[in-house]
Amino acid sequence: MATITDTKRRDFLKLAATATGGLFIGFGWSSCDSPKVKVLSTDEILAQAKNFNAYLSISPTGDVVIYSPNPELGQNIKTSFPMVVAEELDADWSKVRVLQANLDTEKYDRQLTGGSGAMPHSWERLRKAGATARHLLVAAAAKTWQVSAEEITVENGVISHKGSSKKGHFGEFVAEASTMTAPEDVKLKEKKDFKIIGTPVKNVDSKDMYTGKPLFGLDFYREGMVNAMIQRPPFGMKIKAVDESAARAVPGVSDVVVIGNSVAVVGEKTWPLMKAKKLLRVEYEPDGSVESTADHDRLFQQLLATGKADVKRKDGNVDAAFKSAAQVVTAEYQCPFLAHSPMEPENFFAHVQGDKVELVGPTQTPDRARQDTAQLLGIPPENVTVQITRLGGGFGRRLRTDFALEAAQISQATGKPVKVTWSREDELTGGAYRPAVRYRFEAALDAEGNMIGYKLRGVGMNAGNSTRENNFPSGAVDNVLIESIDHKSSITTNAWRAPITNFLAYAEQSFLDEVALAAKKDPVQFRLDLLQRAKTNPVGELGYDVDRMIGVVKTAAEKSNWGKNPDVQQGFSVYFSHRSYVAQVADIVMENNTPTLKKITAVTDCGMVINPTGANHQVRGGIVDGMGHAMYGNLTFENGLPKQRNFDTYRLIRLKEVPEIDVHYVDSGFDPTGLGEPALPPTGGAIANAIFKATGRRLRSQPFIEQKEFSDIRLEIRRA
């Protein structure tokens, strides 16, 4: 049994109490003392629950209610969090109900969704929540039956004593348990004894989603609220003049409001507002650089050649290595801006009443929404409440708070509760995008084909650091130089699923295949040789676990029958991001002289898999996302506006274009690590490398379908 010491126990227990005989355990996520439990009424418990970030409640019927604190956007955290609590509690999963918690920063220190970090952060805390409740219930049963607690067993919500044949469900002991003080230490299960964790469990919201119950921000409605839609300026422009007369004349429009650099039309229904917005006559003037894609292409070339860069990593003597090289391989890779394209466009509700604000909607960062709103309106943050709805996708777009601030501004200006809704055109033209990036790679090889030098120079548009300088192959090469240039653009950018690595992985892994080809080595063995070097004689800092990466590489080669079928052309890719390791192999078969993508084999080491159903959805979803954007996605600009304004011109992957996906996991013995993002980065590289193997065409830019190297390739997708 694992033991949790008091220093970590203090992060957990808030209170345990009875309410009409029920046990209530609230658990905070920053430090707190474990008080003697007290009795609360049902109304008091509801009042507490409204403000708690997460809690566990057991009713006299034996039903268990678990509040999930983190925003749910499809990453399955609302199901997997409760599974962990229920496991240590030994609950009957059929009697577990899950509710979304609202924002409470006093009792929760990471109430956000981003960076695939929710489960790694909360894993132990959640286990302690269930284990502490179980301990109290067992102690209560032991006292009631006058037996030793060590002789009691718990299974599926039933507490039993074999010697006396006594048994009862949780609800029978909650009154007694609520009078007890939680222990200083609590024992956790050995992983081998898990019964819920590791089993396939359906999404707890499935039924509500299937039956159309209100869950998402777009579903939210408040009696007396008005709706608003907004005309936003092109990037690099500001309002010069507004003629709102035609918009105001549309029946159903109650107001037109200028907020900052945007114009909002307000009314009861959204359809009249969409018509009115098109009738706004807004004149703009430059307010900085008004950019076009053609300008970016020229700028990339210039900055790669002569731009001043930040040195992110320098190992050995790079100049000497390249000067002595028997062969030098050089290539450049480029990616475009991309929209996040969540199925549910941005929306948010706000009600400003004096110095108090109520916010409701889909946000990945509820506390950031609160803080930004408070700063905007000049009020204390504690005067802003945030109710979190389920998110219809986010992929990083909802880390920002612009849509929440718009709602707050309009509510303040109109004196009414307001719901702001973005159209699909708004989402594509007024969003914050994945930054466009260009990379130059250089590799120095000795006479035996060993890589003795490696250089990477990245240029990004508002990308920050466009490299991951401590990722593979850093640490496996004696002489390394990694540099980054960040160009400030008027086009707003944002974290996009697997930030930076979503494209960098494709570029790095494609380039490593180019180097392996020049070295006359098998691509998989070439990577394994580098990893072995990093393991036995690492150079500088390693930002990755060599053994875990070797594990997924070897397993992917085995599961895909790498190199064993001469009729199958395969491309390999492996990447580490967000604490997890994913290797992928793409299989292409030539059919009637047409390359046909048959299958992608994916092997993931994300530590322990909590829920195979949810995990498979994340891996497959990441692969589909990675493939779709590598193949088709492109956002180009002209005079500060995207040329692609809806899905008729902004191409997304279609269902018929998804190949067979074969998913496997490596159990490395680690606690759970990230899974919402890591499967996306390797996908583009695996497909591009397979296309090269099948056609001899090297794809160095995305989207693939727009490259001249791809122009006469008709890539078919066929499921087995």
Side-chain angles (χ1 to χ4, degrees):
M1 301 285 281
T3 301
I4 298 301
T5 61
D6 181 56
T7 56
K8 293 195 174 182
R9 181 194 61 78
R10 288 166 58 89
D11 287 347
F12 155 63
L13 190 65
K14 274 313 204 186
L15 57 93
T18 59
T20 61
L23 177 68
F24 176 84
I25 296 181
F27 40 102
W29 307 86
S30 52
S31 64
C32 63
D33 290 323
S34 173
K36 187 84 172 177
V37 296
K38 62 177 182 177
V39 176
L40 298 179
S41 69
T42 302
D43 288 343
E44 287 174 317
I45 276 200
L46 290 174
Q48 291 280 0
K50 183 177 180 181
N51 295 321
F52 265 52
N53 64 336
Y55 74 88
L56 165 64
S57 175
I58 304 174
S59 76
T61 64
D63 293 299
V64 178
V65 176
I66 301 172
Y67 267 65
S68 183
N70 287 49
E72 172 62 68
L73 54 74
Q75 83 279 33
N76 208 48
I77 208 72
K78 193 175 175 182
T79 302
S80 55
F81 266 25
M83 287 177 65
V84 177
V85 177
E87 177 66 68
E88 291 289 351
L89 181 61
D90 276 313
D92 178 354
W93 181 254
S94 67
K95 303 196 78 173
V96 172
R97 291 174 289 138
V98 182
L99 297 176
Q100 176 69 56
N102 294 327
L103 175 67
D104 191 332
T105 53
E106 291 185 3
K107 302 176 180 68
Y108 192 75
D109 62 350
R110 194 189 184 277
Q111 196 169 2
L112 60 89
T113 290
S116 298
M119 184 57 73
H121 174 269
S122 300
W123 165 248
E124 195 169 89
R125 293 169 171 84
L126 293 165
R127 294 183 69 189
K128 287 186 287 183
T132 302
R134 181 185 185 278
H135 178 94
L136 292 172
L137 291 167
V138 168
K143 182 178 179 181
T144 300
W145 294 335
Q146 295 296 298
V147 299
S148 170
E150 284 71 26
E151 298 173 359
I152 289 177
T153 59
V154 184
E155 186 173 4
N156 287 330
V158 176
I159 303 173
S160 304
H161 181 250
K162 186 176 181 180
S164 63
S165 298
K166 293 180 179 179
K167 63 174 57 177
H169 62 67
F170 285 166
E172 297 175 41
F173 304 100
V174 293
E176 182 63 41
S178 68
T179 67
M180 298 179 169
T181 302
E184 293 299 312
D185 299 322
V186 60
K187 290 185 176 181
L188 303 181
K189 287 184 177 180
E190 298 291 343
K191 293 179 181 179
K192 64 180 177 60
D193 297 324
F194 286 165
K195 297 176 182 177
I196 297 175
I197 292 175
T199 63
V201 173
K202 293 181 180 179
N203 189 310
V204 295
D205 283 336
S206 290
K207 183 177 180 181
D208 287 345
M209 287 189 285
Y210 296 155
T211 56
K213 296 279 184 68
L215 285 169
F216 300 94
L218 283 177
D219 297 325
F220 181 80
Y221 174 79
R222 172 72 57 77
E223 188 71 33
M225 78 177 190
V226 294
N227 285 278
M229 301 194 80
I230 299 174
Q231 175 65 50
R232 300 169 185 85
F235 296 104
M237 304 286 275
K238 65 180 180 179
I239 293 175
K240 182 178 181 181
V242 179
D243 180 357
E244 60 192 53
S245 56
R248 281 188 178 273
V250 174
V253 173
S254 60
D255 208 349
V256 177
V257 181
V258 177
I259 54 166
N261 207 23
S262 300
V263 184
V265 288
V266 182
E268 186 178 347
K269 304 290 185 181
T270 55
W271 178 240
L273 302 183
M274 294 179 74
K275 293 190 291 184
K277 192 175 77 162
K278 293 179 180 179
L279 295 174
L280 287 170
R281 297 293 176 258
V282 185
E283 184 181 352
Y284 297 102
E285 60 184 356
D287 185 30
S289 59
V290 183
E291 302 173 26
S292 299
T293 297
D295 302 327
H296 298 157
D297 293 340
R298 290 190 293 270
L299 184 63
F300 276 139
Q301 298 289 352
Q302 175 188 341
L303 291 175
L304 276 178
T306 61
K308 183 179 180 182
D310 292 330
V311 176
K312 297 299 181 181
R313 181 172 183 136
K314 189 173 184 180
D315 296 332
N317 190 329
V318 178
D319 291 339
F322 276 82
K323 186 175 181 179
S324 66
Q327 186 178 183
V328 173
V329 183
T330 302
E332 292 187 10
Y333 286 77
Q334 184 167 325
C335 71
F337 288 100
L338 288 179
H340 294 77
S341 303
M343 183 168 288
E344 177 192 28
E346 284 71 59
N347 63 90
F348 228 76
F349 170 88
H351 191 189
V352 179
Q353 295 177 287
D355 65 348
K356 301 279 197 302
V357 183
E358 178 190 11
L359 298 176
V360 182
T363 172
Q364 293 179 238
T365 52
D367 186 45
R368 184 177 177 185
R370 181 178 77 160
Q371 297 289 342
D372 289 355
T373 299
Q375 182 177 10
L376 176 72
L377 301 182
I379 62 176
E382 56 267 26
N383 288 9
V384 181
T385 64
V386 184
Q387 178 182 332
I388 307 165
T389 65
R390 189 179 176 101
L391 289 65
F395 310 110
R397 178 60 182 90
R398 287 186 164 99
L399 292 170
R400 295 173 67 91
T401 62
D402 48 334
F403 39 87
L405 297 181
E406 289 174 342
Q409 285 178 289
I410 299 169
S411 178
Q412 184 184 53
T414 61
K416 299 175 182 178
V418 172
K419 181 177 178 181
V420 168
T421 302
W422 291 41
S423 67
R424 179 59 59 191
E425 288 81 2
D426 292 335
E427 199 277 326
L428 282 170
T429 60
Y433 310 105
R434 180 188 79 171
V437 180
R438 189 175 182 94
Y439 296 106
R440 175 182 292 164
F441 295 90
E442 298 176 71
L445 300 175
D446 64 16
E448 287 74 41
N450 300 309
M451 187 158 63
I452 58 173
Y454 177 77
K455 290 196 286 188
L456 165 60
R457 186 178 177 93
V459 178
M461 300 286 186
N462 295 334
N465 176 17
S466 57
T467 73
R468 292 294 181 264
E469 61 272 13
N470 296 326
N471 276 11
F472 179 77
S474 293
V477 183
D478 287 331
N479 308 288
V480 170
L481 176 63
I482 297 179
E483 301 172 301
S484 179
I485 300 172
D486 186 31
H487 173 72
K488 298 304 179 185
S489 168
S490 63
I491 298 172
T492 54
T493 61
N494 196 54
W496 189 93
R497 191 174 187 178
I500 301 299
T501 61
N502 55 59
F503 178 78
L504 177 59
Y506 151 73
E508 286 181 340
Q509 291 297 304
S510 296
F511 181 67
L512 284 180
D513 259 38
E514 294 198 53
V515 179
L517 180 66
K520 297 181 173 58
K521 295 183 178 181
D522 173 80
V524 171
Q525 191 58 51
F526 182 71
R527 290 168 172 81
L528 287 173
D529 290 345
L530 286 170
L531 287 166
Q532 190 60 39
R533 166 66 201 281
K535 180 176 181 177
T536 58
N537 190 18
V539 181
E541 181 181 351
L542 290 181
Y544 54 97
D545 185 311
V546 176
D547 287 329
R548 293 181 74 181
M549 185 169 276
I550 289 174
V552 295
V553 170
K554 288 184 173 180
T555 305
E558 173 195 345
K559 297 296 183 183
S560 66
N561 293 315
W562 175 261
K564 294 181 179 179
N565 188 341
D567 296 326
V568 178
Q569 308 303 316
Q570 295 180 302
F572 187 84
S573 181
V574 61
Y575 214 72
F576 160 71
S577 66
H578 300 284
R579 308 173 186 85
S580 294
Y581 301 78
V582 182
Q584 294 178 17
V585 177
D587 289 358
I588 285 181
V589 175
M590 298 299 293
E591 296 181 349
N592 299 320
N593 295 320
T594 299
T596 303
L597 180 60
K598 289 283 194 177
K599 182 170 71 171
I600 294 177
T601 301
V603 175
T604 300
D605 179 353
C606 58
M608 171 164 282
V609 175
I610 304 294
N611 181 1
T613 298
N616 289 343
H617 290 165
Q618 290 305 302
V619 172
R620 289 190 167 94
I623 289 172
V624 171
D625 210 4
M627 176 183 174
H629 287 92
M631 292 285 297
Y632 310 114
N634 193 10
L635 199 65
T636 59
F637 289 82
E638 188 171 5
N639 297 323
L641 275 176
K643 296 168 71 174
Q644 298 78 16
R645 302 190 175 201
N646 212 318
F647 290 153
D648 56 339
T649 52
Y650 186 76
R651 178 80 153 81
L652 295 179
I653 192 169
R654 297 166 182 145
L655 183 61
K656 67 179 182 179
E657 294 165 339
V658 178
E660 176 189 355
I661 299 174
D662 187 22
V663 177
H664 303 272
Y665 299 94
V666 172
D667 184 1
S668 57
F670 285 83
D671 288 344
T673 51
L675 193 54
E677 293 163 285
L680 186 151
T683 304
I687 294 172
N689 289 334
I691 289 173
F692 174 80
K693 188 75 178 294
T695 68
R697 311 290 181 85
R698 185 70 70 182
L699 299 171
R700 297 193 179 97
S701 293
Q702 293 181 1
F704 297 162
I705 61 169
E706 295 185 15
Q707 308 313 309
K708 66 178 187 293
E709 295 85 357
F710 196 78
S711 59
D712 60 348
I713 299 175
R714 184 182 171 216
L715 182 67
E716 297 281 351
I717 314 292
R718 292 183 188 163
R719 297 184 183 90

